[in-house]
Amino acid sequence: MKIKQLLILIVALVFSACSVNHQPYLDKNVKGPISKVSVIAMKSGLKIEFRNNKNHTLEYMKEKCKTNSDELLSSILNKSGILGELTARNIEHINFGEKTDYIMTIEPIRYYSENTNLCEPTVVDYEITLIDSKELTKNWDTKRKVDKITSFTKKTDKKIVWRDIITWDYKKNPTTNDKNVNHYFNEKLSKSFEKTGLFPQKVMDINSAIIKNQEKYKKNREKKRKANNAKYQSDSMRFLSSINCNIKDRLAIGYSKKSNALCLGKLSFINAKKDFNSQRLSMLNATQKQTVFTLKNSTCPVISSSEAGGSKYDKNVAFKNTYKTQILEHFNNKCHIDVIDGINFMTCGEKNKSYFLELSYSNENRIYKKYMIQVGNLCFDKLKKYYNNDELDSKWRTMYGSNRFGFDAQGYNILTDSKYDTEGFDYENWDKNGINKLTKTKYDIEGFDINKISKDGTDKDGWNPHLKKFVKKKIEKKYHSMDIVKFDSQLKNNLYNRSYYNDLSYIKEKDGFKLVGKKVYGDIQKPNKIETYYFRSAREKLLDLDKPKKPIMKEALVLERVDVREFDKYGYDKDGYDKNGWNAKLKTFRK
């Protein structure tokens, strides 16, 4: 919770730049040395003073002063130097919110500027206060952290042990270097500590203490990361086991956007996202779609699913080819095929391999349903083991499972205990020098460097800083270096392929709506012949207005009749009508 800042802005036409007049306070009844303390930085009563400028509005000066003070104070209130001072004296730092005998507050109380243009600082005063917190924190075990902060900031009768004010005078010590400011601040703080007699003598220098704290912070962060991972892993495994992938077809896909759960047949995955979805209406009585899922999963980061199908009992649903045939044609038969549990595992290509799982279903020598799953090499090998009934754990289907190279989906490598693998590359295939593992250059396969900038300076969003505008840059999206293969499916009976017709539309006749397909022969403007095919619904009404939500694209259709019209060289049929049904002599349209 951020403590609300109260900025008191005082406009002064002329006043001196003297610092706050004060005397340090020390409760002599309190004896040292102090061994433990919490430190909290606050900005609750900052007074900003500045000289007015007739060339600038009051609002402008207020905003300038506020911006400059925020930037300066964010640097000073970084507690690394203060905590280093405590560590140098062998004083243990207790996290705020835990029980402790003392709490130290660092609070800027005055920001003064004589600069009438930019409101740069002239004098800044900081108040350091040490508070006896034994009574205040004794019941903190039962409170939320936000309540602890609230109770601490609102308590007006805090038992103060020591208070001092540190002043930075930019006239005497001009600098724009934050490190110099912090160094000076820490020196003043150290001298103030020495005068109290409450703090032990230093056992190490401040720089060594800061390094020691940084190492401790890294260890604690790693410890916390592992503890959190253990908890999240446990939660993930419970969630994974709760998913019921009750899908009959082994390569069919099921997905829940709400839970980001993905099913491949009866195999479940979590942390999945639908990245691309395309459903093509290229056939009557059959559908085809392709979906690409990206997963927080180092073994299966991408799963591309293609499927096409219709009714098992519809004799008009008979696909020309299986996906297996299409894959072999696409790769010029350069594929190795392993059949595991009836599924074709296909490794295709020469230099850059592509990996597929393929399965089709037939009835009465008709292919009525087919599936194709495309994945990367790591996922392909793991799915082979799964369908071969090899013994596998479940963690590989979550973000916490490690792949063959030791990486989990968070980029942590268990083999090196770092974010780099044994060859020095991270999860995204970059080394520390910005060289890409796959291309051996400073650019990845999409042409971007480690900072997502292309050679001409254009970023992934299309912004070019040199041209100062967005530029069109056609980039074929790569999914973890995987080229997604797309196939179009067609039925053996051309009359049920939409591509067969020059035009498809719905018309209303006496007995209901019909889907009408027109096949034009010869010149489109002056055709030789037009065949018109009329399809009706196989079961119910087509475009039933009483059922507006009924999907019409999945409606099973049967061919009802065919009308054939032939035209002479002038573009008229035997009754004198043109292709549009207009009779110039009778000046009427064909009924």
Side-chain angles (χ1 to χ4, degrees), residues 110-123:
R110 179 172 177 263
Y111 179 95
Y112 167 66
S113 174
E114 290 184 354
N115 185 297
T116 56
N117 289 315
L118 301 176
C119 198
E120 293 175 344
T122 303
V123 176

Side-chain angles (χ1 to χ4, degrees), residues 311-336:
S311 172
K312 177 179 180 179
Y313 306 104
D314 189 339
K315 293 184 179 181
N316 293 306
V317 179
F319 291 107
K320 289 182 179 180
N321 298 302
T322 63
Y323 280 126
K324 176 184 174 181
T325 301
Q326 291 178 287
I327 293 170
L328 289 171
E329 289 177 354
H330 181 80
F331 289 97
N332 296 318
N333 291 317
K334 293 175 181 177
C335 295
H336 174 78

Side-chain angles (χ1 to χ4, degrees), residues 12-15 49-58 60-62 64-65 68 112-122:
L13 297 176
V14 178
F15 50 75
E49 301 172 347
F50 59 89
R51 289 179 181 271
N52 199 10
N53 184 337
K54 64 180 180 180
N55 295 322
H56 297 300
T57 64
L58 183 60
Y60 171 85
M61 291 300 295
K62 286 180 181 180
K64 267 295 177 187
C65 291
N68 289 344
Y112 167 66
S113 174
E114 290 184 354
N115 185 297
T116 56
N117 289 315
L118 301 176
C119 198
E120 293 175 344
T122 303

Side-chain angles (χ1 to χ4, degrees), residues 228-240 270:
N228 286 339
N229 268 3
K231 179 184 181 301
Y232 295 144
Q233 281 186 43
S234 178
D235 293 343
S236 295
M237 296 308 293
R238 281 197 297 271
F239 175 50
L240 185 70
I270 59 175

Side-chain angles (χ1 to χ4, degrees), residues 237 240 267-268 299 382 386 390-398 400-402:
M237 296 308 293
L240 185 70
L267 188 63
S268 59
T299 299
K382 191 70 77 170
Y386 169 78
D390 291 354
E391 189 173 338
L392 297 172
D393 64 17
S394 300
K395 192 188 291 188
W396 70 275
R397 292 181 276 129
T398 74
Y400 300 102
S402 300

Side-chain angles (χ1 to χ4, degrees), residues 4 7 269 446:
K4 186 177 181 181
L7 300 180
F269 295 86
E446 291 182 339

Side-chain angles (χ1 to χ4, degrees), residues 67-84:
T67 300
N68 289 344
S69 65
D70 285 347
E71 290 177 357
L72 176 66
L73 300 180
S74 65
S75 171
I76 292 294
L77 295 185
N78 182 321
K79 297 184 292 183
S80 61
I82 300 165
L83 299 184

